[in-house]
Amino acid sequence: MKTNKYRLWMPLAASMALLGLGCGKKFLNKTPQGSLTQAQIENTAGVQALLNGAYAAMYQEGAGNTALGGGNAWEASPSNWIYGSVAGGDSHKGSSISDQPPIVPIANAQEVSSNGFFNDKWISLYEGVDRCNNVLATLKISPSISSADAIEFAAEAHFLRGHFYFELRRYFHMVPWIDETTTDYNQPNDADIYPKIEADFTSAMDSLPATQPNVGQCNKWAAMCYLAKVYIYEQKWAQAKALYDQIIPSSYGGTGTGGETSNGLSYGLTDRFEDNFDASVKNNKESVFDVQMVANDGTLSIAHANGGDMLNFPYNSPFRCCGFFQPSVDLANSYRTDANGLPYVTTYNSHGIANDEGLTSAQPFTPDAGNIDPRLDWTVARRGIPVHDWGLHPGYNWIRDQASAGPYSNKKNLYWQASAGTYSDQSTWAPGSAINLHVIRFADVLLMAAEAEAQLGNYAQAETYVNDVRNRAANPANILYQYKSNSNPTGGFSTTPAAHYVISPYPSGYFTASTALPAIYFERKLELACEGHRFFDLARWGIAAQTMNAYYSFEGKITGDLSTGNFTANKNEYFPIPSNQISLSNGKLKQNTGYN
């Protein structure tokens, strides 16, 4: 679990590029090779190098597109596409049933502790913890560093360590706490670490500035948002509300002036939902905290260009690889709206959207003509509908094994053809992209704030926050249009909508004690689909077993990859502690309930 105390896993120049760091007084302009000696790090430049390495661990990747744990990059992807989305039922593993078979039991809630994916994720996250601890430990023995710099370095390290531990806590439940003072790294997992995570984010919030010179650095407001998220997971509704009251601007129904991004933009929702998944307009007002992705950075790898999602492009398409991470039919059906533009929160699968499952690309198919939430076609690539400027999705020809994982392709991770030379990275066998990974975006903040308000009985306020999100989706800027010419998709779009888009906010007074939480939960499913949230939301809401077993029953009749699906309550809400880590601990680590 513990690594060489002062080892950096990536060149400093690369980590600076990923942060958007310049070469000002606090940042090195030389690339260290190999390990750093103690003398080299006990100064401002050296600690900055260590901190850059901690930021770099956000990618959870080392050299050569491998995870920091030594496995493949996707096994520890920071997007959580396997553990948050596939395990949560908004997506299938995709590809063919025999490719990457360790994901299959995760998708079916049949995990075992010997699955190497869990071990690689564990190691990658603890590597991030270790790098943060290195920063904090070094600050204690570096008297030449100014007080102002020391405060800033420590605050950023606490923020990043809070992030890594938050991930460990919601993945594995009881995990050992190791900090900069720990001398025996074989610690038990016999205490809940949430209070310590709170302390890390509180420390960061109290010490970080409101804005930063570099867009990739965490700021005070990001720390406040993350602390509020921790409170939500702990069901500390009043504490979360107190922070959200400060974070959310009055223009969105908050009570204060609101927070701002590290680059000084007041928090808000972008007019275009798609702007959150377009590298040309990243780091916008909705970006609370992002992992900064960079394409074509000179490393001849895609480790800094969404390497963890390198498999997740339509198969046999211009994107080359590899047909994984296919949205589920259940998810697509969730975007059906009624005559009033509202979702079918509990009966959506009875109002399913027409799809081409079982049809080849040569067989005729007419896309669904019913009412649809426009976010569907910015989330799910489906047959007969434009895929950015790449052409109409052909269905079967872009799906590796339709019978295994359904008819759809993921859309949020796709770059545009017109800007592919700048924002895609083709330096290895599968593409990367410069699309940032959102750790927290403002829509997520609004919906968590709505949840806190509803739990406190403030239904009107909760309704306001949810309608903020729905009103953005209803903005005409979010309509996807047909091409002017299907034979020339780069030639622009017409004025004819690609589908029948109908969406409205909830009517005033709709939210009550019985309707508010189901509506909020469903809105999170729609807004944050395929962003790695779904499993963790279901688990913390206490509805994972009923929701996932209903999903297995419905989706399993359509696809062949969910044949063993069965979610066991009070077990599968967390993943197993990796058996390898229990072995290495000589019995100090105890397994989660229900696992061997």
Side-chain angles (χ1 to χ4, degrees), residues 227-239:
L227 178 59
K229 184 174 184 175
V230 173
Y231 285 149
I232 290 289
Y233 270 70
E234 295 182 276
Q235 300 185 1
K236 295 182 176 180
W237 312 117
Q239 292 95 319

Side-chain angles (χ1 to χ4, degrees), residues 144-197:
S144 65
I145 297 176
S146 71
S147 175
D149 281 347
I151 290 171
E152 173 68 23
F153 289 146
E156 291 186 57
H158 280 294
F159 178 97
L160 294 174
R161 187 172 70 181
H163 163 75
F164 294 123
Y165 269 128
F166 177 74
E167 288 287 271
L168 283 159
R169 173 60 174 80
R170 67 178 185 161
Y171 261 78
F172 300 111
H173 191 204
M174 301 298 283
V175 298
W177 179 268
I178 296 168
D179 62 22
E180 72 277 16
T181 67
T182 304
T183 56
D184 178 3
Y185 301 109
N186 188 13
Q187 292 292 313
N189 58 337
D190 57 359
D192 192 344
I193 67 169
Y194 266 141
K196 294 180 183 295
I197 296 172

